[in-house]
Amino acid sequence: MQHSLPQDSLDDDLADFTARSITLDGVTRTVYVGGAGPGVVVMAEMPGISPDVARFARWVRDAGLTVYLPSLFGRDGAYPEAEAGAAIMKRACVSAEFRAFGAGRSSPVAVWLRALAALAHRECGGAGVGALGMCFTGNFALTMMLEPAMLAPVLCQPSLPLNDPGGLEISPEELTAVRERLERDDLVVRAYRFEGDRFCTAQRFAAYAAALGPRFQPRVLPDAAANPVPPPFFSQIVGCPHSVVTAHLIDAVGEPTAAARDEIIAFLVDRLTA
């Protein structure tokens, strides 16, 4: 599962994905696509499609699924340095596409992502599509459930809104519609966080549980399970255990983060290939 990087760079060239220019609802974005089988939309965390995000996408691809990895912010393939990552995060916080502050509203980019899920289903077939969001994009996998093709949502450390630890980045009407769909179609939402995460708090998971009931299936990992030496953006800017399947994952047998990764991939495979 390992992918070699250029010897003179910590960046990932993403060369084993096909970079496609995809236009949906009048907006064009680069989407990195790879694999065969049912589609899964993997949405990067801050500060973008890092080598660790690409590594996770490859794990999903290698499990027999087609990965769609949209470029939403940052420089694609870049190693997460602290200063550059902080600048990307600041820009995203004031972007009209993302609602970084204020609960009870969905980010406009979620509409584009739902259209991407529909496209993935048309192109890949299968029972439906999965989606995994992380950090800034964590809740998008839930909002995407308004797309009928979506069957398997995974929320990794959903962190918006940044100014409300117990808030949810989705409108009340959409949340009601999502819950109704989960119950009608007998679907569940998987969600993951570290116990001491300051950006994705216990209050937020409690709010999801209150809104979605038993359809919300949370997993909370101990802080001691986090990789102690993540890239600079995560050690200096994030400053707490945060990224369950990327920067803070320890890829070794017996590690809780590796077990969480395996559980997520099994969930996606089971839901989409049943």
Side-chain angles (χ1 to χ4, degrees):
M1 287 187 178
Q2 298 303 315
H3 175 70
S4 59
L5 301 180
Q7 293 303 304
D8 60 347
S9 172
L10 291 173
D11 293 352
D12 190 317
D13 60 17
L14 305 173
D16 54 326
F17 294 94
T18 299
R20 294 172 52 186
S21 181
I22 295 180
T23 301
L24 300 164
D25 294 329
V27 177
T28 302
R29 298 181 185 276
T30 298
V31 181
Y32 297 89
V33 182
V40 176
V41 179
V42 174
M43 294 162 282
E45 63 195 347
M46 281 292 157
I49 302 175
S50 67
D52 284 328
V53 170
R55 178 180 65 165
F56 177 77
R58 291 183 180 103
W59 285 327
V60 174
R61 179 192 67 189
D62 293 346
L65 302 168
T66 303
V67 169
Y68 288 73
L69 184 59
S71 177
L72 300 175
F73 35 71
R75 180 170 65 84
D76 300 338
Y79 180 75
E81 298 289 0
E83 185 175 346
I88 291 165
M89 187 169 177
K90 287 177 182 176
R91 286 196 296 273
C93 283
V94 297
S95 167
E97 291 188 300
F98 303 98
R99 298 202 193 282
F101 304 98
R105 298 184 300 168
S106 298
S107 290
V109 72
V111 176
W112 192 92
L113 292 165
R114 288 201 294 269
L116 179 62
L119 174 68
H121 190 220
R122 290 196 300 271
E123 293 184 343
C124 301
V129 179
L132 182 141
M134 10 178 144
C135 176
F136 224 73
T137 67
N139 191 71
F140 297 168
L142 182 69
T143 312
M144 289 167 70
M145 290 303 294
L146 296 172
E147 161 54 44
M150 271 288 305
L151 297 180
V154 182
L155 284 56
C156 285
Q157 68 276 352
S159 301
L160 299 187
L162 293 172
N163 63 332
D164 185 351
L168 299 182
E169 194 254 2
I170 184 171
S171 71
E173 297 80 11
E174 288 176 328
L175 190 58
T176 298
V178 168
R179 175 162 183 166
E180 289 174 352
R181 189 187 167 210
L182 293 171
E183 294 176 348
R184 181 178 67 249
D185 295 344
D186 193 21
L187 301 174
V188 298
V189 178
R190 291 283 177 88
Y192 296 78
R193 62 179 289 271
F194 283 106
E195 187 174 19
D197 192 339
R198 295 182 290 110
F199 297 91
C200 180
T201 62
Q203 297 101 298
R204 180 156 295 137
F205 268 31
Y208 279 118
L212 301 176
R215 299 290 167 181
F216 180 70
Q217 298 182 347
R219 308 283 192 271
V220 181
L221 281 66
D223 291 349
N227 172 17
V229 285
F233 175 80
F234 296 93
S235 60
Q236 298 176 35
I237 305 300
V238 176
C240 63
H242 180 64
S243 300
V244 174
V245 297
T246 56
H248 288 105
L249 181 142
I250 301 174
D251 186 16
V253 175
E255 291 291 341
T257 50
R261 171 204 60 200
D262 294 345
E263 181 180 79
I264 288 168
I265 292 174
F267 170 69
L268 293 170
V269 170
D270 289 347
R271 284 287 178 181
L272 303 181
T273 62

